[in-house]
Amino acid sequence: MEDGCIVDVRPWRSASGPATDVVDLGRCALLPAFVNAHTHLEYNVFRGRLEDIEFFPWIGALMALKASLTEPDWLASATMGAAEAAAGGTGTIADCTDAGAAAAGAATIGLRGVIHQEVFGIDGKQTVQETVAALDAKLARMAVALQGSLLTPAVSPHAPYTVRPELMSALARYAGDRGLRLCIHASESQAEGELMLRGSGVIARRLAERGIGWETPGATTVAHLARHGLVTNRTLLVHGVQVSRTDARAASQAGASWVHCPKSNAKLGNGVAPLWALRAACPTGNLGLGTDSAASNNGLDMLEEMRFAVLMQRASRRRIDAMDALQALEMATLGGARALGMADQIGTLERGKRADLTAIRLDRLHTAPCYDPASALVYAASARDVALTMVDGRPIWWRGRHAANLAAQRRQFRTAARKVSGAPR
Amino acid sequence: MEDGCIVDVRPWRSASGPATDVVDLGRCALLPAFVNAHTHLEYNVFRGRLEDIEFFPWIGALMALKASLTEPDWLASATMGAAEAAAGGTGTIADCTDAGAAAAGAATIGLRGVIHQEVFGIDGKQTVQETVAALDAKLARMAVALQGSLLTPAVSPHAPYTVRPELMSALARYAGDRGLRLCIHASESQAEGELMLRGSGVIARRLAERGIGWETPGATTVAHLARHGLVTNRTLLVHGVQVSRTDARAASQAGASWVHCPKSNAKLGNGVAPLWALRAACPTGNLGLGTDSAASNNGLDMLEEMRFAVLMQRASRRRIDAMDALQALEMATLGGARALGMADQIGTLERGKRADLTAIRLDRLHTAPCYDPASALVYAASARDVALTMVDGRPIWWRGRHAANLAAQRRQFRTAARKVSGAPR
């Protein structure tokens, strides 16, 4: 490579002339760094703090816990999240951040990707203009944090049940005018579907309790989002558990991409996404894989996420051909790159792309023998086997260490964890 | 502890008098060593060699591959399997072995448990008497390999579609006369159910192709096994995917125990076992968790197996209360001990039980913060975080090393893997 760009891919023995700067990584699989297409890095401090709570109350409990943290806490949590991702072979993330800390956290670690500033607004406490102005200010601040990084700012209207329609439309215009990418939690739970189609269920009851008016769209989430301009070729739709073939296709035809988060969906009791329908709807392969946050997963291990993806598809469809290891690897690399509109830069190891790669040891007791690297990676390896993560030609995780010095952030992270431990839920 | 027995469990600071022989393991969870209630240690060499094959052809392909190996190959494979189990915190196994190598392999590593000699015989090529005599000879040989170990020999009639009824009855009598434990693959696949109830499906067709007579029992697997004396209070029934509440209860009332193998069931496309029914049927908690073999899992990581168990139950039932971390921990320890009739010796850390324990680091990036050890263990830790595995007061895995010297077996394992790599499937 030269200047962070891959200039050739070949067996090293065939180097013409004397090989210089050869790094022998041992018996590793060398592959494109993973694209974790859905994270909330700043929620790392919540890992294990919100167990056994039903999905919608879980969101409320998460919101309540968030009040206990300060800006340095958020930064430490996001930095630890980014560090965990990098140590597991991830080079690119698509993050959703409320506190905004993911920007500086991911930049510190050296990750590539997109940082979506989350926007909430189901009630009318703030006018649409006020909310958009606040977003504008947050993005300006984020731009400073992202200077010199490989990360771009973007917008995330959180979900159809936390953003009211007029605000959706305004955010769609705001992002469209600036060419910003969008990310939305969509069709995640049964409760969401009930609210959208019939105005009933646990979310509807909660909105009523809070005195928040809700005009039932009588449409699926995808149709509702499309109506308000949010289903575009810059849009990442995350989850897609409760999604019909028609909706999956409609979203794809509008150029939007889906992200599959199997472990989070399972742990929160939301079920198994119909990956066959999402795959069929995305003929160009713009389908990503994401861990979601440590608050629901509870880890950011893309190797384990691939394993769960295959096993859950096979278990739920009782078919061995429901998914295989290579399909999982594609989702975790090129699929995510395509979903983020970055496939010209990353997602494969080939001449002309950026040098974003990971090396994963396949010579350990739990991965031996290795007859086929794809099988060993997807079914036996884990984040703990990652020897190297490189982004743009720079090792951000190597020899068991991050490039960044994390001592201060680790200390702050422990402080933040003590607050979370003591906070009421 | 004294002589491999726990004499007290207490915070170490409260030791009366000067503390001697205190080992500080750091920020670890200390818990009973795992009971992996279903393994085929000798199949470790097949890890990743049999991908993407439907369940019943997969069994055939496995059988074909087995022909390529010699006795030293089997021993190396079983030893590596036992080593992988120990390195992941497992102290006790319930293994099924065809080649018989699991006995010496598990003994070398220092595991506790039960080694079931597998018996096959669906056709009449061997008479029942010949098969039983061969079993008797194998068990005599196994007894030699197990001398001085913590392992006991037992019998495994492989499955209802590989053992004909008259042989089942003979094996039930043989084991009953000697007080030997039994283990059977039961109600694993839809194909098995079709064969048992209607004499149709892929297994029935395969038997017909091979010219093997099959008298359809017209009964479920559990009823069929019970009719032939195999459902006893010494019986381990493995899988229970296709099992009704009635059958689960009937087996339990006869004193038999179930073993749940969620990853293997998922990967082979067999589905998700109705754990709620199995739990309800086992009021004394005699319900174990097993990884099955590296040929179908593809690992022997009980921490990951617990994680999959919870997530698959939650995903398939779309209920967060379908299973929680503590229930998984119980299945992986005390539940397995009960299922094996060993709960008086192992499964909990308490005075009078054998000192079988594991220490698991919870201070790493991917497990921090730790608000609740059960959550951290089940949802975030993996076999790679195991600092110590102790059996009968003896560390069999500590400081990244096994107590046994495995250099020669590692070499032989590589030789075996080369054979498997080149063997036709």
Side-chain angles (χ1 to χ4, degrees):
Chain A
M1 50 196 160
E2 274 174 29
D3 299 329
C5 181
I6 298 171
V7 292
D8 203 3
V9 180
R10 62 190 180 208
W12 76 268
R13 287 182 194 286
S14 75
S16 56
T20 56
D21 298 327
V22 168
V23 176
D24 186 350
L25 292 160
R27 282 181 57 84
C28 280
L30 198 65
L31 61 159
F34 296 122
V35 178
N36 190 339
H38 187 55
T39 61
H40 299 261
L41 297 180
E42 68 197 18
Y43 291 169
N44 251 52
V45 74
F46 299 135
R47 185 193 338 259
R49 185 67 179 84
L50 294 162
E51 300 301 355
D52 308 326
I53 310 174
E54 295 284 342
F55 177 63
F56 193 66
W58 176 89
I59 294 182
L62 179 65
M63 295 294 178
L65 268 187
K66 286 162 81 163
S68 62
L69 298 182
T70 62
E71 212 169 300
D73 298 331
W74 286 120
L75 178 60
S77 184
T79 307
M80 291 300 113
E84 182 182 352
T90 293
T92 290
I93 50 155
D95 192 83
C96 292
T97 181
D98 181 11
T108 298
I109 295 300
L111 293 172
R112 188 190 297 278
V114 184
I115 309 288
H116 303 82
Q117 176 63 55
E118 282 188 316
V119 182
F120 298 81
I122 191 67
D123 56 30
K125 280 185 197 164
Q126 263 190 340
T127 65
V128 165
Q129 290 69 24
E130 285 167 346
T131 304
V132 171
L135 166 65
D136 200 54
K138 286 177 184 174
L139 286 175
R141 234 187 117 198
M142 191 187 284
V144 177
L146 296 184
Q147 263 173 13
S149 78
L150 301 163
L151 299 149
T152 53
V155 178
S156 173
H158 173 260
Y161 49 87
T162 52
V163 179
R164 63 194 189 279
E166 52 168 345
L167 181 54
M168 283 188 184
S169 299
L171 294 170
R173 279 193 304 275
Y174 180 92
D177 290 347
R178 290 156 184 80
L180 297 174
R181 292 192 54 88
L182 291 158
C183 178
I184 309 150
H185 297 88
S187 311
E188 182 173 7
S189 66
Q190 231 169 347
E192 177 188 324
E194 285 169 30
L195 177 77
M196 302 305 294
L197 286 167
R198 291 184 297 278
S200 61
V202 59
I203 307 181
R205 285 195 297 277
R206 182 73 184 121
L207 292 175
E209 281 164 21
R210 292 174 58 198
I212 297 167
W214 173 257
E215 206 172 307
T216 302
T220 62
T221 292
V222 168
H224 180 64
L225 295 175
R227 196 178 290 167
H228 297 285
L230 287 172
V231 182
T232 77
N233 63 359
R234 293 166 287 106
T235 303
L236 216 49
L237 297 167
V238 182
H239 295 303
V241 181
Q242 302 288 331
V243 75
S244 67
R245 286 164 67 169
T246 312
D247 274 350
R249 237 186 342 247
S252 185
Q253 277 164 1
S257 299
W258 289 96
V259 181
H260 179 47
C261 301
K263 282 183 66 192
S264 176
N265 296 153
K267 184 150 178 284
L268 292 171
N270 284 328
V272 183
L275 206 51
W276 59 274
L278 297 179
R279 288 179 63 89
C282 299
T284 58
N286 53 326
L287 181 60
L289 185 71
T291 58
D292 208 339
S293 83
S296 66
N297 186 308
N298 300 355
L300 309 179
D301 180 344
M302 288 291 284
L303 288 151
E304 185 170 297
E305 201 72 36
M306 289 193 288
R307 182 151 63 247
F308 268 80
V310 177
L311 269 59
M312 288 209 180
Q313 289 300 312
R314 289 187 176 187
S316 64
R317 299 187 61 202
R318 281 214 216 120
R319 294 179 65 125
I320 209 156
D321 62 359
M323 192 171 178
D324 66 24
L326 280 173
Q327 288 168 344
L329 275 165
E330 181 177 328
M331 282 181 68
T333 53
L334 187 57
R338 286 173 175 145
L340 287 169
M342 296 168 71
D344 57 331
Q345 297 176 66
I346 57 161
T348 54
L349 297 186
E350 58 184 306
R351 194 176 308 204
K353 286 206 182 180
R354 306 306 301 170
D356 285 24
L357 51 89
T358 181
I360 299 169
R361 275 185 285 263
L362 296 181
D363 57 355
R364 296 183 163 185
L365 188 56
H366 57 269
T367 49
C370 175
Y371 301 109
D372 166 32
S375 160
L377 289 168
V378 173
Y379 300 128
S382 95
R384 279 69 136 183
D385 302 321
V386 172
L388 166 74
T389 308
M390 176 178 279
V391 174
D392 225 47
R394 178 174 167 252
I396 62 170
W397 166 261
W398 195 19
R399 295 175 174 149
R401 288 172 176 276
H402 293 91
N405 181 342
L406 301 177
Q409 295 300 339
R410 277 182 203 276
R411 276 193 302 275
Q412 185 65 38
F413 186 65
R414 285 192 289 269
T415 302
R418 278 191 296 272
K419 291 181 193 173
V420 170
S421 181
R425 286 200 306 210
Chain B
M1 51 196 160
E2 274 174 29
D3 298 329
C5 181
I6 298 171
V7 292
D8 203 2
V9 181
R10 64 190 177 207
W12 76 269
R13 288 184 194 283
S14 75
S16 55
T20 55
D21 298 327
V22 169
V23 177
D24 186 349
L25 293 159
R27 282 181 58 83
C28 279
L30 199 65
L31 63 159
F34 296 122
V35 178
N36 189 338
H38 186 55
T39 61
H40 299 262
L41 297 180
E42 68 197 18
Y43 291 168
N44 251 52
V45 74
F46 298 135
R47 183 188 346 253
R49 185 67 179 86
L50 293 162
E51 300 301 355
D52 308 326
I53 310 174
E54 294 285 343
F55 177 63
F56 194 66
W58 176 88
I59 294 182
L62 179 65
M63 297 292 180
L65 268 188
K66 286 162 80 162
S68 62
L69 298 182
T70 62
E71 212 168 300
D73 298 331
W74 285 119
L75 178 60
S77 184
T79 307
M80 290 301 113
E84 182 183 353
T90 293
T92 291
I93 50 155
D95 192 84
C96 293
T97 180
D98 181 10
T108 297
I109 295 300
L111 293 172
R112 188 190 297 280
V114 184
I115 309 289
H116 303 83
Q117 176 63 55
E118 283 188 314
V119 181
F120 298 81
I122 191 67
D123 56 30
K125 278 185 198 163
Q126 262 191 341
T127 65
V128 166
Q129 289 70 26
E130 285 166 345
T131 304
V132 171
L135 166 65
D136 199 54
K138 287 177 184 175
L139 286 175
R141 233 187 117 197
M142 190 187 285
V144 177
L146 295 184
Q147 264 173 13
S149 78
L150 300 164
L151 299 148
T152 52
V155 178
S156 173
H158 173 260
Y161 50 88
T162 52
V163 179
R164 63 194 190 278
E166 53 168 344
L167 180 54
M168 282 187 184
S169 299
L171 294 171
R173 278 193 304 275
Y174 179 91
D177 290 347
R178 290 156 184 80
L180 296 174
R181 292 192 55 87
L182 291 158
C183 178
I184 309 149
H185 297 87
S187 311
E188 183 173 5
S189 66
Q190 232 168 346
E192 177 189 324
E194 284 168 31
L195 177 77
M196 301 305 294
L197 287 167
R198 293 182 296 276
S200 61
V202 58
I203 307 181
R205 285 196 298 276
R206 182 73 184 121
L207 292 175
E209 281 165 22
R210 292 173 59 200
I212 297 167
W214 173 257
E215 207 172 305
T216 303
T220 62
T221 292
V222 168
H224 180 64
L225 295 176
R227 195 179 290 167
H228 296 284
L230 287 173
V231 183
T232 76
N233 63 359
R234 293 167 285 107
T235 303
L236 215 49
L237 296 166
V238 182
H239 295 302
V241 181
Q242 302 289 330
V243 74
S244 67
R245 286 164 68 170
T246 312
D247 273 350
R249 236 188 339 250
S252 185
Q253 276 163 3
S257 299
W258 289 96
V259 181
H260 179 47
C261 301
K263 283 184 64 192
S264 175
N265 296 154
K267 185 151 178 282
L268 292 171
N270 285 328
V272 183
L275 205 52
W276 59 275
L278 298 179
R279 286 180 63 89
C282 299
T284 59
N286 54 323
L287 180 60
L289 185 71
T291 58
D292 208 338
S293 83
S296 65
N297 186 309
N298 299 352
L300 310 180
D301 180 343
M302 288 292 282
L303 287 151
E304 184 169 297
E305 201 72 35
M306 289 194 288
R307 183 149 62 247
F308 268 81
V310 176
L311 269 60
M312 289 208 179
Q313 289 300 312
R314 289 187 178 189
S316 65
R317 299 186 62 202
R318 280 212 217 123
R319 294 179 66 126
I320 208 155
D321 62 359
M323 192 171 179
D324 66 25
L326 280 173
Q327 290 168 343
L329 276 164
E330 180 176 328
M331 281 181 69
T333 54
L334 186 57
R338 286 174 175 146
L340 288 169
M342 294 169 74
D344 57 332
Q345 297 176 64
I346 58 162
T348 53
L349 297 187
E350 58 184 306
R351 193 178 306 204
K353 287 205 182 181
R354 305 307 301 169
D356 285 24
L357 51 91
T358 180
I360 299 168
R361 275 184 286 263
L362 296 181
D363 57 356
R364 296 183 163 184
L365 188 56
H366 58 270
T367 49
C370 175
Y371 301 108
D372 165 32
S375 160
L377 288 167
V378 173
Y379 300 127
S382 95
R384 279 69 136 183
D385 302 321
V386 172
L388 166 73
T389 308
M390 176 179 279
V391 175
D392 225 47
R394 179 173 167 254
I396 62 170
W397 166 260
W398 195 19
R399 294 174 175 149
R401 288 172 175 277
H402 293 90
N405 181 342
L406 302 177
Q409 295 300 339
R410 277 182 203 276
R411 277 194 300 277
Q412 185 66 38
F413 186 66
R414 285 192 288 269
T415 302
R418 278 193 294 273
K419 291 182 194 173
V420 169
S421 180
R425 286 201 305 210

